[in-house]
Amino acid sequence: MSLKSFLAKIFAQRIVAKTNKWINNPETAQEKVFLNLINEAKNTVFGKDHDFANIKSYEDYANAVPVRDYEELKPYVEKMVAGKQNILWPGKPIYFAKTSGTTSGSKYIPITKESIKEQVNASRNAILTYIHETGNTSFVDGKMIFLQGSPELELKNGVKLGRLSGISAHYVPNYLQKNRLPSWETNCIEDWETKVNAIVEETIQENMTVIAGIPSWVQMYFEKLNERTNIKVGELFKNFNLFIYGGVNYEPYRAKFENLIGRKVDSIELFPASEGFFAYQNSQKDKGMLLLLNSGIFYEFIKADEFFDKNARRLTIKDVQLHVNYVMIISTNAGLWGYNLGDTVQFISVKPFKVIVSGRIKHFISAFGEHVIAKEVEQAMQEAIKATNASVNEFTVAPQITPQENELPYHEWFIEFETLPNNMEKFIAILDQSLQNQNSYYYDLIVGNVLQTLKVTQISNGGFKAYMKSIGKLGGQNKVQRLSNNRKLAEALIKLGSI
């Protein structure tokens, strides 16, 4: 065992012991975070506007601070971008994470010295927790790759500006710098296809042990390695044994990954965003991610099916229930207050509090009142793949409201297959039955002859990649929208001639 491996085990033991303290006192941990946030921000512009000085309880806070999305918080953010201090959090942020906005162009998410510290610690602790549980430290002496955006940052009114993954690249610990790939120069390449080709060149002869990134883009890297060598990734990188991912559900990709790798490898799921690092998988023995209750973020939850009601009830962790779809609301030490992240989660455990990401509050299909969410279509896909030996590169789902004459409406699944099902009719039947089993509204619409059984439209190889490239979102942290309530993405795929 190397010195680095030995020290990693000792450090892991210490971190897990520290984590267990707040795991065993979750409400106390959140109360402490809440009071600290209010106290720190009481003299900011936002704090004064919302009378933080007189907030003594969560009930006071919920009455004083409404739930907001980015657009509603934007007037405060714009002052910060203009260089003003003490707006949402004391002083100035040290970064703005620039992300794509939905209605008004780019979003500028503030990152403070307090919040970046929590992000870095969470990434580290996820790996250390894995080490503590499995005893596996062999990977710490090999090469590690993190597929991410460019680390080059702009300066805007005294604050550095860039993508979150690029900002994070500046915080790789010194003891990992020699292990880290790709090179700085390669990481700075903007064009994703050019960048992946350069990464292949830099890594193909290396002892890769850890690979991290969004599954769809890691898949592209693996495919290029296969094309170059004509051997499995697991044979090329004999010591590769840990895949770290976030951003999307891995399950629809798992079969394809295991085929590309040639064997199974351990994986760690993360739940990071520009707004904060919320959870990580803390056990290989069960699913779900440990919600980080001691990391400068105070959480609220609103039932997704009540979210758009005028008086929707806001809940804290003490009130949540298992397997209910919640919109996650955050208040953070980066100055986001009552902030609607847009993600929906479900609790699969409350001892400790563990979540799965179930989708986006804006990404669903409810053209007929069914309110189908990402988790449901992903589970259906997983069941159909397993039963028919299929392999899928990517997929999305859209409603077909205006079918051909004398035909009922339906859900249309656009699927790019790597390996076709051994029985397409069975594949479709399993998809549809799984949705009916999971979603009572969808079941009622099928049984009541409002909808017909879903249909599958095959996308040619590379179709989704062409679509993402056409909208300037190939690679990095960008993800294909899993489902939508309209046919914008579907029509774009058709227009590209990918069918």
Side-chain angles (χ1 to χ4, degrees):
M1 180 185 294
S2 69
L3 177 61
K4 189 181 287 187
S5 295
F6 176 72
L7 293 175
K9 283 192 173 184
I10 293 175
F11 194 22
Q13 186 174 17
R14 184 191 309 170
I15 290 299
V16 169
K18 186 176 179 180
T19 301
N20 284 336
K21 289 183 179 179
W22 63 257
I23 284 179
N24 293 326
N25 297 281
E27 292 180 28
T28 301
Q30 275 286 272
E31 177 73 8
K32 185 177 179 181
V33 168
F34 170 73
L35 293 174
N36 183 64
L37 291 175
I38 297 300
N39 183 61
E40 288 291 321
K42 65 185 178 184
N43 292 319
T44 63
V45 171
F46 188 94
K48 291 177 180 177
D49 287 349
H50 296 81
D51 198 22
F52 275 20
N54 289 312
I55 290 178
K56 307 301 180 186
S57 66
Y58 166 67
E59 288 70 23
D60 291 342
Y61 179 77
N63 288 329
V65 179
V67 172
R68 289 177 168 93
D69 60 16
Y70 180 83
E71 299 303 321
E72 293 166 307
L73 201 65
K74 190 176 177 180
Y76 290 98
V77 176
E78 287 180 331
K79 292 177 182 178
M80 299 166 71
V81 174
K84 303 291 185 182
Q85 299 190 53
N86 303 317
I87 305 300
L88 290 170
W89 191 256
K92 285 185 177 183
I94 56 174
Y95 300 103
F96 287 112
K98 188 177 181 180
T99 67
S100 299
T102 53
T103 59
S104 61
S106 296
K107 294 163 61 177
Y108 296 88
I109 306 299
I111 297 177
T112 63
K113 64 180 185 296
E114 293 89 352
S115 67
I116 193 65
K117 179 181 177 182
E118 298 293 357
Q119 293 237 12
V120 172
N121 287 347
S123 299
R124 177 202 68 194
N125 293 353
I127 297 174
L128 290 172
T129 301
Y130 168 82
I131 288 173
H132 182 75
E133 181 186 43
T134 65
N136 177 21
T137 59
S138 60
F139 63 88
V140 304
D141 295 307
K143 297 291 186 178
M144 306 177 185
I145 187 171
F146 301 89
L147 294 177
Q148 55 193 190
S150 172
E152 290 188 309
L153 305 176
E154 305 171 36
L155 196 63
K156 192 176 184 71
N157 295 320
V159 178
K160 293 178 180 178
L161 169 69
R163 300 172 187 166
L164 174 66
S165 60
I167 292 169
S168 299
H170 293 263
Y171 288 86
V172 176
N174 290 332
Y175 59 85
L176 290 181
Q177 288 288 0
K178 290 182 179 179
N179 301 64
R180 170 192 169 192
L181 287 171
S183 66
W184 184 270
E185 292 74 21
T186 295
N187 237 355
C188 290
I189 296 173
E190 285 291 342
D191 180 76
W192 186 251
E193 290 179 287
T194 303
K195 182 173 186 171
V196 173
N197 286 328
I199 291 172
V200 169
E201 290 295 330
E202 286 192 1
T203 59
I204 199 166
Q205 300 295 332
E206 297 288 349
N207 176 30
M208 304 302 302
T209 56
V210 177
I211 296 172
I214 290 177
S216 51
W217 306 123
V218 174
Q219 177 180 314
M220 183 176 173
Y221 166 60
F222 285 171
E223 288 170 342
K224 288 186 178 292
L225 287 169
N226 280 174
E227 289 169 10
R228 280 287 303 276
T229 64
N230 202 32
I231 61 176
K232 301 290 187 181
V233 172
E235 184 180 346
L236 178 64
F237 301 141
K238 296 185 185 300
N239 297 314
F240 167 46
N241 56 24
L242 183 59
F243 173 50
I244 303 173
Y245 69 95
V248 298
N249 185 359
Y250 179 41
E251 292 309 317
Y253 300 93
R254 187 178 293 276
K256 176 66 185 293
F257 264 61
E258 290 179 357
N259 180 54
L260 287 168
I261 297 167
R263 54 182 168 83
K264 293 184 177 182
V265 298
D266 286 348
S267 61
I268 303 175
E269 183 177 9
L270 311 178
F271 185 8
S274 300
E275 294 86 350
F277 199 122
F278 310 114
Y280 60 73
Q281 183 181 351
N282 70 326
S283 176
Q284 295 293 300
K285 297 173 183 176
D286 52 41
K287 294 182 179 181
M289 294 174 284
L290 179 70
L291 189 65
L292 304 181
L293 304 176
N294 192 40
S295 299
I297 301 171
F298 179 72
Y299 298 93
E300 298 174 83
F301 304 91
I302 298 174
K303 289 183 179 180
D305 58 5
E306 298 176 2
F307 182 73
F308 296 104
D309 295 349
K310 185 177 180 180
N311 296 311
R313 187 182 173 205
R314 297 161 67 172
L315 309 172
T316 61
I317 57 165
K318 66 183 178 63
D319 300 309
V320 297
Q321 299 173 326
L322 296 176
H323 311 302
V324 174
N325 208 36
Y326 291 109
V327 180
M328 193 164 80
I329 309 299
I330 57 172
S331 298
T332 78
N333 55 8
L336 302 176
W337 302 102
Y339 185 87
N340 171 21
L341 186 66
D343 286 312
T344 58
V345 300
Q346 292 182 10
F347 285 87
I348 63 166
S349 167
V350 293
K351 290 183 180 181
F353 286 93
K354 298 179 73 168
V355 298
I356 57 171
V357 179
S358 53
R360 300 277 294 170
I361 190 62
K362 293 182 180 179
H363 294 174
F364 57 87
I365 298 178
S366 197
F368 313 96
E370 65 275 39
H371 207 89
V372 169
I373 62 174
K375 173 184 175 292
E376 293 165 348
V377 299
E378 287 172 343
Q379 182 173 322
M381 177 62 79
Q382 187 179 346
E383 292 175 13
I385 286 172
K386 185 176 181 180
T388 62
N389 296 317
S391 178
V392 169
N393 287 333
E394 193 58 88
F395 75 97
T396 190
V397 187
Q400 177 52 272
I401 301 172
T402 55
Q404 295 181 8
E405 190 175 355
N406 299 321
E407 193 179 20
L408 291 173
Y410 55 89
H411 286 186
E412 188 171 7
W413 291 54
F414 295 83
I415 305 175
E416 182 180 323
F417 288 100
E418 173 72 14
T419 304
L420 286 169
N422 53 29
N423 185 323
M424 182 62 81
E425 289 184 1
K426 181 179 178 181
F427 181 88
I428 292 171
I430 291 171
L431 284 180
D432 202 77
Q433 189 59 54
S434 178
L435 272 189
Q436 291 184 48
N437 293 342
Q438 295 179 76
N439 188 306
S440 60
Y441 301 110
Y442 183 77
Y443 169 82
D444 289 342
L445 291 167
I446 293 290
V447 173
N449 290 320
V450 176
L451 294 180
Q452 64 172 304
T453 298
L454 63 85
K455 295 187 179 185
V456 168
T457 297
Q458 293 182 42
I459 302 298
S460 59
N461 188 41
F464 279 95
K465 176 182 168 184
Y467 165 72
M468 294 298 281
K469 190 172 184 178
S470 74
I471 61 173
K473 291 189 175 183
L474 183 66
Q477 302 301 110
N478 299 306
K479 305 176 284 288
V480 172
Q481 184 172 324
R482 186 61 76 218
L483 72 176
S484 56
N485 211 32
N486 58 53
R487 291 184 61 82
K488 183 179 178 181
L489 196 163
E491 296 301 329
L493 286 169
I494 294 169
K495 188 175 181 180
L496 282 168
S498 299
I499 307 294

